[in-house]
Amino acid sequence: MPLNIIVGAQWGDEGKGHITDRLAHDAAVVARYSGGDNAGHTVTIAGEIFKLHLIPSGIIHPGVVCLVGNGTVVNPAVLLREMDALAARGIGVEPERLKLSGGAHLITPAHIALDRAHERSRGKEAIGTTMRGIGPTYTDKARREGLRAELFADPAALAEALAVHVAAKNEALVGGYGESPIDAAAVIAEFASYAERLAPYLVDGPVLVDEALLRGDMVLAEGAQGTLLDIDHGTYPFVTSSSPTAGGAMTGLGVGPRMVDRVIGVAKAFTSRVGSGPFPTELDGAAAARLRGTGDKPWDEFGTTTGRPRRVGWLDLPILRHARRVNSLSELVLTKLDILSGLAEIPVCVAYELDGRRVESLPHDLKALARCRPIYEALPGWNQDVMGARRPADLPAAARWYIEFVSAGAGVPVSYTSVGPGREQFIVMD
Ligand code: GDP
Ligand code: IMO
Ligand code: MG
């Protein structure tokens, strides 16, 4: 059995956690390959809600091994909190089930302080990051100055590396941004306790993945963020600092493309975005409130990680075509179809008007994207509640037509759709 990759096809929060959990029952290993606790993935089982930031969304299946891969950045305090919260709810997170790749990079309090200071210094140009220290940690990785999780196996080397790290970051924090310095001794003591707890979880990630694939087991790579937040293929500079697209799964787990079978793009039936940057189909006022919800429902469009209201708009086919292209998607999963129930008609953006011309694909240049005006086609809506649908035949004809229209417009088949957050609210399309 092969490697299957789940990627976000939009700006994140497409429902990747829900779909990963749903597809994980056939997997031996579920692995996160990029990002850190900027991600917030929700799994809902029999009304019980699990919010995961670092631990792969396969963890609720007792037989699945979960790997935090080398392409991720890990705040050990957050990882331990998440492990403790899951253990308290009876979910096994022992070293037999949960593995941390030695090549993953560690997020420290100095990275978080720098993320804050840098965002503040950008003023109106701020990215709107999650303030989890993601950018500064990947910056250190690229500068070859990062701290890898493998240091947990060598407490003396860890303390030494942290002393050098905090001293360097304090220069930037105090000298560059006029912020208070970080207390190196406190960080060293804190990380010594993390090392003690996390050392038993360390593995050589690429070996673990290779062994599973050689055994013939299925490995499910769980993407975080989304295609448009990718540092190469997203709306740069309003992106994250890693590669959430399918290519990131190769480097982020240490496996080559010959192993990949399916690349499953997850797209919401409309579009949402958190943070700054252009968003051609963005809505405001009552139309936005209708898609966002009030916050009463657990699935309303407020950030899992930050609680920020998400920006929302209609579905954008140029974005999905871009996602198909840069990920080589084999299929799409359309989530939150239930949210569209009750609309008289549903506009879908089929192309853009850019400087008086019709364009079918997402412009690479951000300034051009900001000038794009959506060209909509209005599809008929449906009134029935679809949350109880379990087969394509249970869906109203207009909902089935919506799915077919999206599939044709994106150029990729829709293999599943979801009609609610629950594990069972999932339809295998014909
Ligand atoms: P992720 O970051 O891609 O894993 O997505 P999030 O978990 O941040 O956000 C998706 C939200 O929508 C969560 O609250 C999910 O429980 C919820 N959700 C997922 N699929 C569906 C669906 O089909 N319908 C509804 N109503 N909610 C869904
Ligand atoms: P999941 O995995 C939505 C956004 C932030 C910001 C930009 C950079 O739940 O889909 P960062 O903290 O990464 O430096 O912030 O990326 N962002 C997300 N938006 N879902 C996410 O993850 C996100 N992770 C980062 O809002 O605009
Ligand atoms: Mg999320």
Side-chain angles (χ1 to χ4, degrees):
M1 283 262 269
L3 176 66
N4 293 327
I5 307 175
I6 290 181
V7 295
Q10 296 155 326
W11 274 291
D13 301 326
E14 298 92 345
K16 298 176 295 295
H18 177 196
I19 302 308
T20 301
D21 167 72
R22 190 61 179 69
L23 299 183
H25 67 264
D26 293 328
V29 178
V30 177
R32 277 279 306 272
Y33 59 85
S34 72
D37 64 303
N38 49 349
H41 295 182
T42 316
V43 175
T44 308
I45 298 160
E48 207 182 331
I49 298 177
F50 298 88
K51 291 184 179 187
L52 301 158
H53 297 283
L54 274 167
I55 296 179
S57 303
I59 197 74
I60 323 293
H61 294 270
V64 170
V65 167
C66 287
L67 170 69
V68 180
N70 61 273
T72 64
V73 287
V74 173
N75 179 333
V78 174
L79 178 57
L80 286 165
R81 258 206 311 275
E82 198 162 309
M83 287 162 62
D84 291 344
L86 285 171
R89 296 171 74 177
I91 309 293
V93 288
E94 315 73 47
E96 294 71 41
R97 291 219 47 216
L98 180 62
K99 316 275 182 184
L100 172 59
S101 188
H105 277 248
L106 298 179
I107 300 178
T108 73
H111 288 130
I112 296 169
L114 275 173
D115 195 356
R116 280 215 185 88
H118 191 56
E119 277 287 271
R120 211 173 293 142
S121 77
R122 288 177 70 109
K124 285 216 305 285
E125 304 299 311
I127 307 287
T129 77
T130 59
M131 305 281 188
R132 297 298 195 270
I134 306 297
T137 307
Y138 278 116
T139 302
D140 274 0
K141 175 178 178 177
R143 280 153 55 124
R144 294 153 295 181
E145 289 175 4
L147 306 166
R148 307 212 305 180
E150 64 206 9
L151 283 168
F152 285 152
D154 185 346
L158 175 64
E160 207 174 302
L162 280 168
V164 173
H165 164 79
V166 175
K169 298 304 154 205
N170 276 342
E171 266 181 43
L173 277 170
V174 179
Y177 296 106
E179 300 280 338
S180 325
I182 299 286
D183 178 351
V187 173
I188 291 170
E190 198 187 313
F191 273 62
S193 75
Y194 300 152
E196 215 167 288
R197 282 198 64 193
L198 289 172
Y201 291 84
L202 288 175
V203 291
D204 184 327
V207 168
L208 184 142
V209 169
D210 186 47
E211 284 176 354
L213 292 171
L214 289 177
R215 272 198 308 274
D217 287 341
M218 195 259 274
V219 176
L220 191 58
E222 176 182 4
Q225 288 78 56
T227 299
L228 292 189
L229 291 170
D230 185 277
I231 193 157
D232 286 277
H233 304 294
T235 46
Y236 191 90
F238 298 103
V239 293
T240 191
S241 300
S242 68
S243 303
T245 45
M250 308 291 86
T251 52
L253 294 177
V255 61
R258 284 205 309 132
M259 291 297 149
V260 180
D261 183 19
R262 301 165 67 187
V263 183
I264 303 160
V266 183
K268 217 173 257 190
F270 49 99
T271 310
S272 72
R273 171 164 210 180
V274 195
S276 317
F279 180 171
T281 64
E282 183 169 16
L283 295 168
D284 55 17
R290 167 66 180 76
L291 291 179
R292 183 182 299 118
T294 56
D296 284 356
K297 303 256 174 33
W299 55 80
D300 285 347
E301 296 292 338
F302 293 82
T304 312
T305 297
T306 58
R308 290 181 284 180
R310 295 177 185 146
R311 301 161 64 193
V312 291
W314 301 119
L315 193 73
D316 184 321
L317 292 178
I319 287 178
L320 297 190
R321 289 195 280 271
H322 176 74
R324 182 203 59 75
R325 186 178 307 120
V326 300
N327 294 294
S328 295
L329 296 182
S330 58
E331 60 216 272
L332 267 179
V333 183
L334 210 56
T335 61
K336 294 193 108 170
L337 194 69
D338 50 296
I339 302 299
L340 301 181
S341 295
L343 292 166
E345 54 177 35
I346 310 170
V348 173
C349 169
V350 293
Y352 302 133
E353 189 198 310
L354 173 60
D355 303 335
R357 282 179 308 112
R358 181 185 170 107
V359 294
E360 304 288 331
S361 57
L362 195 74
H364 197 257
D365 170 20
L366 198 75
K367 288 201 192 79
L369 180 61
R371 292 200 304 280
C372 282
R373 299 286 160 258
I375 299 172
Y376 286 116
E377 209 166 307
L379 269 61
W382 58 89
N383 270 322
Q384 299 93 311
D385 179 3
V386 295
M387 290 184 106
R390 297 293 175 267
R391 294 168 308 138
D394 298 336
L395 292 171
R400 289 205 305 274
W401 170 238
Y402 187 80
I403 296 167
E404 272 173 43
F405 187 86
V406 172
S407 169
V412 55
V414 172
S415 53
Y416 312 107
T417 183
S418 75
V419 290
R423 195 181 256 177
E424 71 295 347
Q425 289 176 303
F426 180 88
I427 301 174
V428 180
M429 300 306 296
D430 333 287

